[in-house]
Amino acid sequence: MSSDVAPAAEAVSSQRIAAALRETILAGGYAPGERLFQDVVAEQFGTSRIPVREAFRILESEGLTEVLPNKGARVPALDLYEVDTYYRMRERLEPLTLAESL
């Protein structure tokens, strides 16, 4: 039974770390292109690198980090085309979301 506790605790820890990093990234606490180091983040949260690695994967699935093989993670830097594309998508989705919420 104790073997089930460790993975569950790591999952909760990963979610907690991902939430904190998400908030910091969205608030501009990390600059576009800035690298995130597993060791530094693990020390910051008082955990091992395993939940940090999973947190980076969670954030990568949301587009908030890029995990590069053998190089770690970084906050993605968007080029002008990507910014324009995301803006146009948001421009179309927001009215639809508002209409559906009524």
Side-chain angles (χ1 to χ4, degrees):
M1 184 159 156
S2 63
S3 64
D4 293 334
V5 174
E10 284 182 1
V12 169
S13 187
S14 296
Q15 293 293 330
R16 181 176 57 86
I17 293 166
L21 290 173
R22 180 183 304 108
E23 186 175 314
T24 303
I25 292 168
L26 293 175
Y30 294 109
E34 186 172 345
R35 288 192 55 201
L36 303 172
F37 298 96
Q38 285 184 19
D39 294 343
V40 173
V41 175
E43 185 177 319
Q44 183 181 8
F45 287 94
T47 188
S48 72
R49 292 182 310 190
I50 294 170
V52 173
R53 195 174 309 129
E54 182 59 27
F56 287 170
R57 287 189 193 119
I58 292 167
L59 295 172
E60 182 178 38
S61 73
E62 298 171 7
L64 295 175
T65 62
E66 295 174 330
V67 179
L68 308 169
N70 302 316
K71 293 187 179 184
R74 71 178 181 140
V75 177
L78 302 176
D79 62 30
L80 188 55
Y81 174 78
E82 291 171 314
V83 171
D84 182 57
T85 300
Y86 291 143
Y87 181 79
R88 286 185 291 119
M89 288 171 53
R90 186 174 172 183
E91 217 174 28
R92 289 174 176 84
L93 287 173
E94 284 182 355
L96 177 63
T97 304
L98 181 61
E100 292 295 319
S101 70
L102 299 177

